[in-house]
Amino acid sequence: MTEAFKWMVWSGLLVALASPVQTKRYEPSVAMGRDIVLVVDASRSMDDTFSIKESSNKFEAVRDILKKFITKRKGDRIGMVLFGEYPYVVSPVTFDHEVLSSMIPYLEVGMAGEKTAIYDALAMTAKLLKNSDAKSKVAILLTDGRNSAGKIPKIVAEKLLKEYGIRVYTIGIGTPQNYDASILKELAERTDGKFFAASDPRMLSQVYDTIDKLEPSLVEHSFVLDTVHLYSYPLFIAAMSLLAYIFLLNKGEM
């Protein structure tokens, strides 16, 4: 018995000297980096195909590409405004990208009316980001038409976007004759954004990839390691074993 305790003493000391540790990895709390609002045209014209070669309509292609874009954005808050004849908020800016992505398949052409209220949609986007504390605020406007509805004039929408520091990327999709490229360029340039044109789903996917690179996530990907030293446990066992060993030795001598 004494030999067993003797070995436990030496084993405990050796393990304690090896200084075993347990590490836990913690992701830091997400800092307020970038708020992005996807402003998406759902007017009746989005029911058309990009071309006779395409089987799906423009809106179906847009939904698929938006889901991929949302998945890429790590750490940013993302919201969505859908518009047709009037705009409405599909989702305020949120870190819950999974919930936002799950809503996209339920969006349909004509949900917000048949016509196109671009400036009303941008004004609502500005209102959505008005009180944002993000370091960067971005709106990505996608449309295949010209402004044909709404109550907000272009100059007011632009003023709101500039006042709240919102950078706008504009995307004209489909046939260039259907949307006003000069207006979309102007909206982008006056807010330090950029205009893009996409005549098919492949080009549109590339546009969102480009925007993803132009607006990299501001959240640091560092982490914190919490290290717990475990030497006290084998040291405790060694100490108890030593006491037991001494007790048994003394008992044997008696």
Side-chain angles (χ1 to χ4, degrees), residues 234-248:
L235 190 61
F236 175 77
I237 293 173
M240 292 298 101
S241 298
L242 179 61
L243 290 175
Y245 176 70
I246 294 172
F247 173 77
L248 290 175

Side-chain angles (χ1 to χ4, degrees), residues 119-120 122-123 126 152-162:
Y119 308 138
D120 281 25
L122 289 174
I152 306 294
K154 174 174 170 289
I155 190 172
V156 172
E158 283 182 348
K159 183 179 179 181
L160 290 171
L161 293 166
K162 293 179 71 174

Side-chain angles (χ1 to χ4, degrees), residues 52-81:
I52 57 174
K53 298 179 181 179
E54 304 291 336
S55 57
S56 60
N57 65 28
K58 285 178 281 189
F59 196 73
E60 289 173 348
V62 167
R63 286 188 306 193
D64 291 339
I65 293 167
L66 288 178
K67 288 184 71 174
K68 293 176 183 176
F69 178 80
I70 292 169
T71 302
K72 291 180 181 179
R73 304 302 301 187
K74 305 296 183 183
D76 295 331
R77 297 199 309 176
I78 303 178
M80 182 180 292
V81 171

